[in-house]
Amino acid sequence: MNLAQADLKQPAQPQSLAPGYSDLKFTAPIPGSYKLPILGQASDGNVLDSDGRETTLHKLMGDAANQDKVVLLSFIYATCSDINGCPLATAVFHKIKTRLGKEPELASHLRLITLSFNPEHDTPERMKAYGATLQGRGVEWHFLTTRSEKELQPILTAYKQTAEKVYDASGKFTNTFSHNLRVYLIDQHKQLRNIYNTELLHPDTLISDIKTLLQPQAKIAQSTPNNLDKSALYGAGDNKLDYQNKDYQTKSVALTRREGQSTDLLKTIVQPPLGLPSVPVPDLNPITAEKISLGRKLFYDRRLSINNTFSCAMCHIPEQGFTSNEMATAVGVEGRTVRRNSPTLYNVAYMQSLFHDSRESTLEQQVWGPLLAHNEMANPSIGYVIDKIKNIQDYNGLFEKVFHKEPGMETIGMAIASYQRTLNSANSPFDRWYYGKDSKALSAKAQRGFQLFNGKAQCSQCHTVNKEYALSTDNNLHNTGIGYADAMTDKTANPLQRVQVSPGVYIDVPSKVIDSVAEPKANDLGRYEVTQNPQDRWRYKTPSLRNVQLTAPYMHNGSIASLREVVEFYNRGGIANENLDTLIKPLHLSGTEIDDLTAFLESLTGDNTEELVSDAFAAPIGESD
């Protein structure tokens, strides 16, 4: 029995086999009915083929004249005895090879590569013997090794492929490895498009993914007229308003229509819009156009996350008010849950503290929170981020030009903060009426709402407005009862919980079912988590009301969906608790007064939001070349 046959043989004792050995339990997705994201560039490395010839991974993946093949790359070692480890990868490749015998056209566009991570044992001769019975006519399958562990290690590191030697009690190498099974799907341009583990590796799904990558680039039909409503272009890409109604029709806007145009962002610093004061700029980080440009590039760059998929702009979505209209609380890398709502970045330059609990005081420092948070961008360390930026080619020389030094913790924060300080938006209908003295700029209804805002509704006690400008926040923290209710309500008392399954569609699900699949929700005590002062329990920072119509849902946990509901909440006097802010009390507003106050809040949208969003559409997103 040769090595290949030994690897493919199942063990005699009963063992739970990976899905790749059996029929797929569901119908594989139709090729071309979905898209595979670009996860980064496939790395290169020096290797030896089974005849001992020196080559590189990139050469085997195809050169400029031969970029018509998709690549499946697996890392194995020939003596692996874990049936759900290396033998699984080889078995799945073998099944694909057999399938390709019936689809010669597909076979001409696919290349299989198996690389050993045990060069000490798996010499070219052994890899040739390993693949002898696996090769098939018309199918290109390379069996590779490396000259040494020293040449292998950079490849393993680049692909995040772990392979640790296992030693016995006496310290002797057992010729086995502890490793995670990974198979990489690489497109014709050497870009990573999918990574499969033991549970996801199946020939049917791999074939569907391969065929999807080989689909010709279809031209997206114009689904919207040329006179596209700007509210659709500058809102959520797939607006599901009234989705619950049977006659719902999508108002989605294709990405191809979301083309933007760069603008002079420095002008919002030099000449702030009407209604805003001078922009506070730290002496140690003066604003320049070059610094803004670099910060903008970093802000939209998905490569700044652990797996090259997530940028700052994916929680602070420009066309959704630089927050996220579609989710109550943020979602980070790989769908990881974040406890709180994404705060808007409009006019963030004026904020004296940052995050809902005010735990940071400068934008330069704030940026490192999401970059390092496990449930946001998930980078393991500051140094990891710095090294990553240093190794991205299109950042070469940029930091040196702007800061006269290499990328570092300080300069990365300074660059991103410089871009964020330009997201200033005002000159709203209210500003033109109140500060510009244009009597026709604000409706009579909104004017009545402003009188309520300053009077009976008492909003201006926290959302300040003065004679020269309106930041619409006191930059303080308050307990409204929202955090208290979220933390202290006994949800187990109700056998059913209301769950949103799609926009506007809810069902009641037994609490026991939810508990069986969900982790307990992390408690949120607000400012107390920073100060450990009991009086700070459930206190959260006052947000600005500027552009508030664009930044739903509201409150620190995104628990209130509309502006009118927010007004109704305060009209009821918040939620009683021992630390309820003394300013929160029932307002006794009538229905008409609630409508007027809501109309005033809707009048606070600046006139340059579309320009800032268009500039964001024009920014690079950090896609690998």
Side-chain angles (χ1 to χ4, degrees):
M1 180 183 296
N2 62 35
L3 289 171
Q5 292 169 325
D7 254 5
L8 291 171
K9 184 181 178 181
Q10 297 181 9
Q13 69 274 23
Q15 185 177 356
S16 178
L17 295 179
Y21 287 110
S22 308
D23 292 337
L24 196 62
K25 301 300 183 185
F26 54 89
T27 302
I30 299 171
S33 65
Y34 58 98
K35 292 184 178 180
L36 293 166
I38 296 172
L39 303 180
Q41 195 74 9
S43 295
D44 199 5
N46 297 319
V47 294
L48 299 175
D49 67 17
S50 57
D51 290 321
R53 292 186 295 255
E54 293 184 2
T55 186
T56 67
L57 283 176
H58 274 191
K59 285 181 180 178
L60 290 170
M61 290 175 188
D63 53 25
N66 184 25
Q67 288 188 337
D68 60 340
K69 291 198 175 185
V70 173
V71 172
L72 280 175
L73 168 65
S74 70
F75 292 89
I76 63 100
Y77 69 105
T79 55
C80 180
S81 60
D82 179 2
I83 194 66
N84 291 328
C86 304
L88 171 64
T90 304
V92 168
F93 277 26
H94 188 268
K95 288 184 177 182
I96 290 174
K97 182 211 72 173
T98 302
R99 185 89 58 90
L100 294 179
K102 302 176 183 178
E103 299 184 57
E105 178 60 24
L106 180 60
S108 68
H109 292 292
L110 178 65
R111 184 177 291 114
L112 305 176
I113 297 178
T114 296
L115 173 61
S116 170
F117 51 70
N118 186 14
E120 186 178 313
H121 176 273
D122 294 338
T123 61
E125 294 77 17
R126 286 182 181 271
M127 291 305 292
K128 191 168 191 175
Y130 183 88
T133 61
L134 296 171
Q135 296 279 16
R137 188 174 181 180
V139 178
E140 186 179 353
W141 191 350
H142 298 272
F143 294 86
L144 311 174
T145 187
T146 53
R147 190 176 299 281
S148 65
E149 291 182 9
K150 184 177 180 180
E151 286 195 351
L152 171 69
Q153 195 55 51
I155 300 174
L156 298 182
T157 300
Y159 283 92
K160 297 182 175 65
Q161 173 67 68
T162 60
E164 301 292 336
K165 288 184 174 181
V166 177
Y167 297 90
D168 61 21
S170 63
K172 183 180 179 182
F173 177 41
T174 61
N175 289 316
T176 59
F177 290 80
S178 173
H179 67 95
N180 294 322
L181 179 67
R182 293 286 187 271
V183 170
Y184 302 82
L185 177 63
I186 301 165
D187 68 15
Q188 304 95 314
H189 306 289
K190 302 185 181 73
Q191 297 174 128
L192 289 171
R193 304 304 289 269
N194 212 344
I195 303 173
Y196 311 91
N197 60 18
T198 301
E199 296 302 319
L200 300 177
L201 190 63
H202 195 283
D204 291 352
T205 53
L206 264 65
I207 289 290
S208 290
D209 287 353
I210 293 163
K211 289 182 176 179
T212 293
L213 292 183
L214 292 173
Q215 293 262 340
Q217 185 65 41
K219 292 183 178 180
I220 301 175
Q222 296 288 347
S223 59
T224 50
N226 289 329
N227 59 344
L228 180 67
D229 180 7
K230 285 187 176 180
S231 65
L233 181 60
Y234 295 110
D238 189 5
N239 190 333
K240 291 186 172 63
L241 186 66
D242 299 323
Y243 182 82
Q244 66 275 21
N245 296 334
K246 292 183 178 180
D247 58 351
Y248 167 81
Q249 291 186 346
T250 182
K251 305 175 186 67
S252 62
V253 181
L255 285 174
T256 52
R257 300 301 307 275
R258 291 178 172 268
E259 295 180 356
Q261 183 170 347
S262 299
T263 190
D264 177 14
L265 294 171
L266 190 59
K267 67 184 179 184
T268 71
I269 305 284
V270 176
Q271 183 76 45
L274 179 67
L276 291 175
S278 298
V279 179
V281 177
D283 292 339
L284 295 176
N285 190 21
I287 291 283
T288 66
E290 293 78 15
K291 201 179 292 184
I292 293 168
S293 178
L294 177 56
R296 174 176 174 264
K297 179 178 176 67
L298 291 163
F299 184 86
Y300 294 96
D301 197 333
R302 300 185 302 175
R303 295 170 296 183
L304 266 63
S305 63
I306 185 68
N307 61 0
N308 303 321
T309 63
F310 210 86
S311 70
C312 304
M314 294 178 77
C315 276
H316 303 280
I317 305 168
E319 66 270 31
Q320 297 184 33
F322 283 93
T323 176
S324 176
N325 301 154
E326 299 169 301
M327 292 178 289
T329 58
V331 172
V333 162
E334 296 180 339
R336 299 172 189 174
T337 300
V338 180
R339 290 189 303 170
R340 295 171 181 164
N341 176 259
S342 300
T344 180
L345 296 183
Y346 279 128
N347 303 317
V348 71
Y350 299 97
M351 298 299 103
Q352 295 174 10
S353 63
L354 301 157
F355 295 112
H356 288 289
D357 54 17
S358 292
R359 66 184 182 272
E360 281 290 359
S361 57
T362 72
L363 285 169
E364 284 80 1
Q365 296 164 352
Q366 175 273 332
V367 66
W368 288 101
L371 280 169
L372 301 179
H374 173 73
N375 56 352
E376 296 187 52
M377 298 173 79
N379 291 291
S381 69
I382 294 169
Y384 181 89
V385 178
I386 295 170
D387 290 341
K388 193 169 193 179
I389 292 173
K390 286 181 178 179
N391 288 315
I392 295 175
Q393 186 174 2
D394 48 276
Y395 283 101
N396 285 352
L398 294 185
F399 279 83
E400 290 79 0
K401 179 181 178 181
V402 173
F403 295 104
H404 307 294
K405 61 175 72 173
E406 291 186 332
M409 181 181 183
E410 180 185 32
T411 53
I412 292 168
M414 291 169 73
I416 296 177
S418 295
Y419 169 67
Q420 291 176 319
R421 284 198 178 93
T422 69
L423 301 176
N424 304 312
S425 177
N427 195 33
S428 66
F430 164 73
D431 295 310
R432 296 193 293 274
W433 171 73
Y434 191 71
Y435 297 112
K437 308 306 178 183
D438 181 353
S439 60
K440 297 180 180 179
L442 196 66
S443 70
K445 188 174 185 177
Q447 290 182 37
R448 293 194 302 269
F450 180 58
Q451 297 303 317
L452 289 164
F453 185 88
N454 281 320
K456 183 178 179 181
Q458 303 177 47
C459 308
S460 60
Q461 293 187 84
C462 298
H463 299 281
T464 54
V465 176
N466 64 35
K467 293 181 180 180
E468 290 79 33
Y469 58 83
L471 293 182
S472 193
T473 175
D474 60 0
N475 274 303
N476 209 333
L477 298 97
H478 300 276
N479 177 338
T480 66
I482 290 282
Y484 166 83
D486 201 26
M488 302 303 288
T489 301
D490 183 8
K491 297 179 177 63
T492 62
N494 191 343
L496 297 176
Q497 292 186 40
R498 200 174 190 218
V499 174
Q500 183 175 1
V501 294
S502 60
V505 180
Y506 299 83
I507 60 173
D508 291 327
V509 179
S511 298
K512 290 183 178 179
V513 173
I514 295 175
D515 292 342
S516 69
V517 297
E519 291 183 0
K521 184 178 179 180
N523 213 337
D524 190 340
L525 296 174
R527 180 66 176 171
Y528 171 84
E529 296 180 6
V530 179
T531 66
Q532 300 295 295
N533 182 346
Q535 295 302 313
D536 283 337
R537 284 174 296 166
W538 309 302
R539 293 179 70 220
Y540 299 92
K541 189 165 73 73
T542 307
S544 172
L545 295 181
R546 286 197 170 277
N547 301 298
V548 70
Q549 186 180 19
L550 306 177
T551 61
Y554 305 102
M555 304 303 183
H556 75 277
N557 60 356
S559 59
I560 300 183
S562 70
L563 275 178
R564 196 179 199 284
E565 290 174 278
V566 172
V567 176
E568 290 171 343
F569 169 79
Y570 284 111
N571 193 41
R572 295 191 296 269
I575 299 172
N577 67 91
E578 60 186 287
N579 285 342
L580 182 67
D581 198 287
T582 56
L583 295 174
I584 308 294
K585 57 189 69 174
L587 303 176
H588 308 294
L589 300 176
S590 67
T592 300
E593 289 174 325
I594 290 174
D595 289 340
D596 290 347
L597 183 52
T598 302
F600 166 68
L601 296 174
E602 291 172 345
S603 77
L604 298 176
T605 301
D607 71 344
N608 66 333
T609 57
E610 291 178 2
E611 183 180 2
L612 293 174
V613 172
S614 179
D615 177 81
F617 287 165
I621 61 173
E623 212 159 48
S624 299
D625 297 331

